[in-house]
Amino acid sequence: SICPLTCSQTGVLTRDIDNNTGNFFLDFENAKPTEAEKRVWEEVNEVLTEAMSVLQDLQSYSGAGEAIRQAIQHPNDEHVQESAWAAVVPLVGKLKKFYEFSLKLEDSLQGLLEFLTSSRCSPTQHLEQEQALARQFAEILHFTLRFDELKMTNPAIQNDFSYYRRTLSRMRIINQTAEEHNEVDNELANRMSLFYANATPMLKTLSDATTKFVSKHAELPVENTTDCLSTMASVCKVMLETPEYRTRFASDDTVLFCLRVMVGVIILYDYVHPAGAFVKSSKIDMKGCIKVLRYQPPNSVEGLLNALRYTTKHLNDETTSKQIKSMLQTVNG
């Protein structure tokens, strides 16, 4: 159901399109869908609207730490046990919502990739002429890194869920009919457990979805997908390091948005490309991207540098140059 468009060779915003240089301005702030993009755009837009409320819920997620501590300290006090259970159940309802949202996100990403990687034009032309979808792809990456940053700094999530599961098994042993009062049955709890056990669960969802997309579409060369990702990384890097582009951002938040997107596509590329993002032959200018990151105020990008350090697949391979490794090791400078 991909629209049989042909891409024109030149675009309004083009600057020396040369393979994957990405020298054009991708309007992350104002891009509107064309007729051809509309159907996919509307489907993804619904998911992105929900993404906002997921982030708000996660941001305000304070956990049931105190109630759980009390319950562990007073194992025989029925009232304390009930209070802890009452505190944890609605929170697990939220965790279930986050997990189910990750499945919707996976579907959206696959829909966008289908459109942005089709063989009817080059990756650069796709991104340039389907800017509204490119922007949605960017918004998914932005959401993903933000979700994972919040999740990583909130130990309450795993503590609450572990307590919930322990209490559930205990209820089953003493034959209380816990299941029917629960939103989360055992099978779902197992899947949620795997999801939350990951340091960066949403990023893992996207990496798996992209890998799945590539194997599902065997008729598409894998380069269609990896070139789409490397071009996007390049576009973000060029926009961030080129004053004439950077001054076109209406909001300072767009800088952080671009940085998050750049890091997100690097990580996806590193998972999907057989040799990864860090090899010499990589189509992503890793040194340039790391320089752009290091040029920002440290407190705003430390989380992103950590994402490159700890959630990529090939950074520690022997094929990664010492220079790149040391650029990522240095804390200041």
Side-chain angles (χ1 to χ4, degrees):
S1 58
I2 289 167
C3 210
L5 288 176
T6 52
C7 286
S8 62
Q9 289 306 310
T10 52
V12 212
L13 303 169
T14 315
R15 305 274 179 282
D16 332 306
I17 279 191
D18 159 30
N19 250 347
N20 292 302
T21 49
N23 277 11
F24 63 88
F25 186 82
L26 213 168
D27 194 348
F28 284 139
E29 292 174 326
N30 308 303
K32 299 281 184 288
T34 58
E35 227 13 77
E37 297 168 273
K38 217 162 190 143
R39 185 188 57 79
V40 176
W41 186 90
E42 279 167 0
E43 286 168 15
V44 177
N45 196 46
E46 267 180 47
V47 174
L48 285 169
T49 306
E50 191 180 336
M52 299 300 291
S53 81
V54 166
L55 281 183
Q56 279 161 356
D57 280 355
L58 180 56
Q59 221 151 355
S60 61
Y61 188 102
S62 52
E66 190 46 42
I68 292 172
R69 263 191 299 281
Q70 291 298 325
I72 292 167
Q73 280 164 17
H74 305 97
N76 301 318
D77 185 328
E78 209 47 50
H79 176 66
V80 173
Q81 298 303 314
E82 280 167 13
S83 306
W85 183 245
V88 163
V89 168
L91 291 170
V92 169
K94 279 188 177 181
L95 296 180
K96 177 192 177 198
K97 176 187 151 184
F98 301 161
Y99 167 71
E100 287 173 340
F101 181 73
S102 76
L103 306 177
K104 294 181 195 173
L105 201 65
E106 182 174 340
D107 285 347
S108 292
L109 181 75
Q110 299 221 1
L112 285 174
L113 284 174
E114 216 151 283
F115 211 97
L116 293 170
T117 62
S118 74
S119 295
R120 58 193 158 73
C121 43
S122 76
T124 308
Q125 290 165 334
H126 267 302
L127 292 178
E128 197 189 13
Q129 290 165 38
E130 290 147 14
Q131 293 220 0
L133 295 187
R135 176 188 176 180
Q136 286 186 320
F137 182 37
E139 283 172 347
I140 286 178
L141 287 162
H142 182 260
F143 161 81
T144 297
L145 274 103
R146 187 74 194 106
F147 181 96
D148 287 346
E149 279 167 14
L150 289 168
K151 184 262 175 188
M152 259 198 262
T153 50
N154 194 340
I157 290 175
Q158 277 181 279
N159 296 342
D160 293 351
F161 197 58
S162 303
Y163 176 80
Y164 175 84
R165 297 205 73 187
R166 286 198 307 274
T167 310
L168 206 55
S169 338
R170 212 169 44 240
M171 285 172 153
R172 262 193 230 103
I173 292 163
I174 55 176
N175 257 342
Q176 283 184 8
T177 50
E179 291 286 0
E180 63 226 40
H181 304 299
N182 285 311
E183 292 190 74
V184 177
D185 63 23
N186 205 32
E187 192 211 342
L188 179 57
N190 286 336
R191 279 182 286 142
M192 283 170 65
S193 242
L194 285 173
F195 177 76
Y196 287 111
N198 202 286
T200 51
M202 285 292 174
L203 202 51
K204 172 137 178 53
T205 300
L206 286 202
S207 303
D208 290 351
T210 311
T211 311
K212 222 182 279 179
F213 172 82
V214 168
S215 51
K216 191 170 110 187
H217 293 274
E219 77 289 353
L220 280 180
V222 68
E223 290 74 34
N224 283 30
T225 304
T226 52
D227 286 357
C228 169
L229 299 172
S230 59
T231 304
M232 198 133 175
S234 189
V235 168
C236 289
K237 179 181 85 76
V238 168
M239 290 201 308
L240 287 160
E241 65 189 6
T242 311
E244 62 168 297
Y245 290 156
R246 203 166 163 154
T247 51
R248 287 167 68 175
F249 295 158
S251 153
D252 289 344
D253 292 348
T254 309
V255 172
L256 188 54
F257 181 87
C258 266
L259 290 164
R260 276 211 184 98
V261 172
M262 181 178 79
V263 168
V265 283
I266 289 170
I267 295 167
L268 286 188
Y269 182 99
D270 195 48
Y271 271 85
V272 177
H273 194 286
F278 298 95
V279 286
K280 224 188 188 110
S281 60
S282 162
K283 285 190 178 169
I284 295 180
D285 167 17
M286 282 307 304
K287 287 176 195 164
C289 290
I290 296 167
K291 271 186 195 141
V292 166
L293 280 165
R294 306 205 67 83
Y295 190 66
Q296 314 304 318
N299 55 339
S300 68
V301 290
E302 198 47 40
L304 295 177
L305 287 166
N306 282 340
L308 287 178
R309 287 175 189 132
Y310 307 121
T311 62
T312 45
K313 190 178 177 183
H314 294 281
L315 174 63
N316 296 316
D317 290 5
E318 284 174 18
T319 46
T320 302
S321 78
K322 285 195 176 70
Q323 194 186 354
I324 287 178
K325 284 180 183 169
S326 71
M327 281 174 88
L328 278 174
Q329 269 163 8
T330 327
V331 182
N332 300 305

